[in-house]
Amino acid sequence: MDVIIVADRRSGAAIIADAIAALINRQPAAALGLATGSSPEPIYEEMTRRHEAGVLDLAGVRAFLLDEYVGLPPSHPASYRSVIRRQVVDRLGLDPGQVTGPDGNAADVLEACRDYEAAIQAAGGIDLQLLGIGSDGHIGFNEPSSSLGSRTRLKTLTAQTRADNARFFDGNAEAVPQHVLTQGLGTIVEARHLVLVAWGAGKAAALARCVEGPVTAMVPASVLQLHPHVSVVVDDEAAAGLSLADYYRSVFATKPAWQGL
Ligand code: GLP
């Protein structure tokens, strides 16, 4: 696991956009795993700047969403399909037909979960998966106690996650759906490169448990410790709880340029 501590979100976003650009350069039809929430926004903004400058072409890219609310119409502004359409698809010129997410409106959600797993498999798996981290250590919508081997499935949100996400529902936690579909932890760790981002002091405790704590279902993000290629990009505030922060800084300062992320 590489832990990269940056001065601010914009420099972290530039490092990740470089890695995504290098991937697309090698593989124009790369499969990107997209995350929602505020954490990946600086990355999508940086990619948009590059796309508008004509140096980043995502026309051939395929994209897969991490998760989705159950029962929100796709047109609802807080549905993850809508968020990704606004923040990524429209701005970066992705082919909407190549953007897939779990169908939270399916009559049979279990079948929708199986179909989603099959779609990821049929695409040859995900090349680079972006991830945020919840304040309780969740990734995707895998709440604490999620099986480390779980696949795409229905989950029930904790009260804390509904409160955290209330800001996308006019501040009303009751309006946040209780149920969601999410890639499982076992699904997420099959992506070839995982890139987790965390900004601000509110993520420091969860990030320290993810990176330096025991691997446990109580901190779903700790499953990243089992993956061979993980980049964790954080600002100083989010890194505040890391005991080896000085070591991580020296590793990054001396990282051979040819390695990339
Ligand atoms: C939601 C999403 C996660 C995201 C998390 C943190 O629950 N399902 O994918 O990582 O929130 O969100 P934020 O980045 O807004 O702090």
Side-chain angles (χ1 to χ4, degrees):
M1 181 183 289
D2 264 339
V3 181
I4 298 160
I5 304 172
V6 292
D8 53 51
R9 295 168 197 210
R10 189 149 178 185
S11 30
I15 290 168
I16 297 167
D18 285 348
I20 294 173
L23 169 65
I24 295 170
N25 212 21
R26 287 194 307 273
Q27 260 174 267
L32 282 186
L34 301 175
T36 44
S38 37
S39 304
E41 283 176 14
I43 300 154
Y44 300 147
E45 284 159 14
E46 175 64 23
M47 290 169 73
T48 302
R49 280 191 281 276
R50 294 180 188 203
H51 177 63
E52 285 170 356
V55 294
L56 183 62
D57 178 6
L58 283 90
V61 160
R62 295 157 307 152
F64 290 89
L65 276 57
L66 258 185
D67 46 14
E68 184 57 280
Y69 293 108
V70 167
L72 275 193
S75 59
H76 189 290
S79 81
Y80 284 172
R81 181 157 281 273
S82 296
V83 172
I84 291 295
R85 193 181 55 242
R86 285 196 306 275
Q87 294 185 352
V88 182
V89 179
D90 292 349
R91 293 198 203 157
L92 286 165
L94 264 77
D95 174 355
Q98 295 290 352
V99 181
T100 316
D103 182 357
N105 282 294
D108 182 341
V109 288
L110 295 184
E111 191 181 12
C113 292
R114 283 192 296 271
D115 288 350
Y116 195 52
E117 288 276 337
I120 295 172
Q121 292 289 328
I126 291 172
D127 292 299
L128 185 152
Q129 176 67 58
L130 289 172
L131 295 167
I133 182 169
S135 58
D136 61 1
H138 74 244
I139 52 175
F141 268 137
N142 293 280
E143 297 284 30
S145 79
S146 287
S147 159
L148 300 181
S150 50
R151 311 302 306 187
T152 302
R153 70 210 182 291
L154 180 81
K155 285 295 285 181
T156 306
L157 295 183
T158 61
Q160 182 177 338
T161 298
R162 291 179 81 207
D164 287 348
N165 288 358
R167 65 190 193 282
F168 301 114
F169 292 82
D170 298 326
N172 179 11
E174 286 298 308
V176 181
Q178 275 187 315
H179 292 121
V180 293
L181 303 186
T182 182
Q183 284 189 37
L185 297 172
T187 317
I188 291 170
V189 297
E190 284 176 2
R192 287 178 271 282
H193 182 192
L194 302 178
V195 178
L196 182 138
V197 290
W199 319 116
K203 297 294 172 73
L207 187 84
R209 294 174 77 202
C210 157
V211 173
E212 296 182 339
V215 175
T216 165
M218 291 307 285
V219 183
S222 67
V223 75
L224 268 54
Q225 294 177 32
L226 300 173
H227 192 283
H229 189 187
V230 178
S231 308
V232 173
V233 180
V234 296
D235 61 10
D236 289 317
E237 291 77 15
L242 296 173
S243 61
L244 292 184
D246 289 344
Y247 172 64
Y248 305 140
R249 285 195 173 90
S250 74
V251 170
F252 188 59
T254 57
K255 190 174 166 66
W258 55 261
Q259 258 187 342
L261 257 200

